[in-house]
Amino acid sequence: EAVAFHEDGLLLVEDGRVVAVQAEAPGAGWTRIDHAGHLILPGFIDTHVHSPQIDVIASHGTALLDWLETYTFPAERAYADPMLAEAGAARFLDALLAHGTTAAVVFPTVHKVSVDRLFSAASERGMRLVAGKCLMDRHAPDGLRDDVASAERDSRELIERWHGRGRNAYAMAGALCAADPSLYMQTHVAENRAEVQWVAELFPEARSYLDVYARAGLLHPRAVLAHGIWLDDEDRAALRDSGAQIAFCPSSNLFLGSGLFDWPLHRGQGVAVSVASDV
């Protein structure tokens, strides 16, 4: 039911948007581009992917937390350099397009310039991106930490510049996200058992890892939470009731030995699920 195949159909595109799929030829005012012998498909949508991690893809992995310390953090620190951030954004987006992905929910880095260059490159390519500055103020190395005041200042400026401009949308958290329902929220949840245990130690007042976000008011229909492997029935009910979705990342979950997300169980309990690469 989700797929329709037209062996010799016509796709009508007006002002960059698909307006019709039909068998009969349109009027004489349409310019015809013949792609006979090829398939024309909708672009893929990647709902969770890290742009700077393309530089460390397939690095020898242990478990999640070790992998972050060894590969991810050093790769992300480099994106403080505007020239490297610009080159990295172009390399990342061209790789997405080469694989048929035209829209993505993307994590750049904590650096304002990494977000700015990513949105700029996406605009040049006509892509649809949801992205925002990473927010980290502890348990990260020098060069990747931020504080609330500077994060809010940077994010306000980036929202003003990019949110709703063209096909771009901004992902944010906290008071800014609560004040503007058009903003998205993206984060990670319950990816790895050691991570789940660590979160329980950091937030003993919360019932679960997901409950940390629920208490902060971050579960809503524009919330995208990556992984969600180690959740329980109460967590799934909270996701269902809030309209938040899980971005299922099977390749990275298996590569890092995190576990395998139970898609039928979540869908059976009414949780919205999408598919992502995580790079």
Side-chain angles (χ1 to χ4, degrees), residues 189-234:
V189 67
E191 177 180 2
N192 169 280
R193 281 175 163 170
E195 174 205 24
V196 171
Q197 179 59 41
W198 192 21
V199 170
E201 295 168 3
L202 293 172
F203 299 93
E205 72 281 3
R207 190 199 70 82
S208 67
Y209 192 160
L210 184 77
D211 189 49
V212 174
Y213 299 130
R215 286 166 172 263
L218 297 178
L219 300 186
H220 52 75
R222 292 200 175 206
V224 182
L225 299 100
H227 309 297
I229 299 171
W230 305 105
L231 301 174
D232 60 21
D233 287 345
E234 194 167 336

Side-chain angles (χ1 to χ4, degrees), residues 73-98:
F73 288 157
E76 293 190 355
R77 254 198 310 259
Y79 278 65
D81 183 311
M83 292 185 65
L84 289 175
E86 183 171 344
R91 186 166 61 252
F92 167 74
L93 294 177
D94 287 344
L96 287 187
L97 289 173

